[in-house]
Amino acid sequence: MVRQILRIQFQRAKKRKFKKNPAMSRTLSCIVAVCPDMGIGYKGHLPWHPKKLSNELKYFQKMTMTPTVQGKENVVIMGRKTWFSIPETNRPLPNRINIVLSQNLKYPPAGAHYLASDFDSALHLLDTEELADKVDQVWVIGGGSLYQELMESSSHHRLFVTRVLQQFHCDTFMPTISLDKYQLLPEFPGVPQDLQEEEGIQYKMEVVTVRSREYAHGPARLHQQRMGTRRLNIEPVSEAEVMKPQTRVHVHSHIRQHADTPLGPFGALGSRRVIVVRRPMRKQRTRHSVMGCQFIARLLI
């Protein structure tokens, strides 16, 4: 009886663990204009209000409005404050499916197409029968807390950033874009590369995307596939420390062979960190058995 109960609990936990996350099945896009201090708004307006950056606004409209698949529409997801910061005459944003996030509203505000309680609920809404065949690109357009939630998520996403080169007073901010997590794309279709200027304000557009992670081949990769990272204790150590014999770290021979060279199997190492993944010892059948390795090293790209 006890075994049967445990088996049922395990099966339920397994279903919860592998439940489909809609954010993982699509690339999300975020578009924002920021001041040098990452400020994005002041008293419900853009920081440079009442000045208008007309070409920048046209760029916003073009990127969020143009689908990549004919016959489909893009989605714009925004918080309640962002929705009401849009002039009433411009709500909803035309030729786009407008989804507003709010935990206080019971019904979609006038003009909005859909209301969701949070970001995850909005993404699940896109997979419903009503919208699944209509939606193309998904754009997150604000505000600050929504940008933060997207950037802290594990979803694959791009940030379309207009960097305004002049500082204005701000009371709303978005997180700093760390180059440890993101990489700047040299170019992107439809994104101007030249320095722009309007109303005496200079700005430039750029696109950053989440960096990919390359892991060690062989046992380390197999270990990730079999065990995942949920049960692992991960700690950063320097490359020099990994190479010390007294650390008693089992490093796969392919990694050990190149770990002290400027160019290894992962490209230029530079000051990148080596992560040592510790897990309990198990009975070792062969010297290079994954299940018998006490430590496995991998490199964060």
Side-chain angles (χ1 to χ4, degrees), residues 168-199:
F168 295 89
H169 191 64
C170 301
D171 58 10
T172 307
F173 302 85
M174 71 173 292
T176 301
I177 301 174
S178 171
L179 294 182
D180 290 335
K181 180 177 180 179
Y182 295 96
Q183 61 181 351
L184 177 66
L185 299 183
E187 58 182 358
F188 196 90
V191 178
Q193 293 183 310
D194 299 332
L195 183 67
Q196 310 289 316
E197 183 172 352
E198 293 183 85
E199 298 284 342

Side-chain angles (χ1 to χ4, degrees), residues 59-108:
Y59 164 77
F60 169 87
Q61 293 175 338
K62 181 187 71 172
M63 298 303 293
T64 59
M65 189 186 298
T66 308
T68 59
V69 180
Q70 189 175 4
K72 292 191 174 185
E73 282 187 294
N74 291 345
V75 171
V76 287
I77 302 177
M78 70 197 85
R80 176 181 57 84
K81 292 181 180 179
T82 301
W83 169 263
F84 286 110
S85 71
I86 301 173
E88 187 175 358
T89 55
N90 297 333
R91 301 196 303 252
L93 297 180
N95 301 319
R96 285 152 285 188
I97 300 172
N98 291 231
I99 300 179
V100 178
L101 306 185
S102 175
Q103 295 183 346
N104 299 323
L105 298 177
K106 295 183 178 180
Y107 304 98

Side-chain angles (χ1 to χ4, degrees), residues 265-277:
F266 309 102
L269 292 176
S271 60
R272 302 187 191 280
R273 296 182 304 167
V274 171
I275 299 297
V276 173
V277 183

Side-chain angles (χ1 to χ4, degrees), residues 37-52:
D37 66 349
M38 303 305 291
I40 60 174
Y42 180 66
K43 293 185 177 181
H45 298 282
L46 294 173
W48 40 90
H49 181 79
K51 292 183 177 181
K52 293 184 178 180

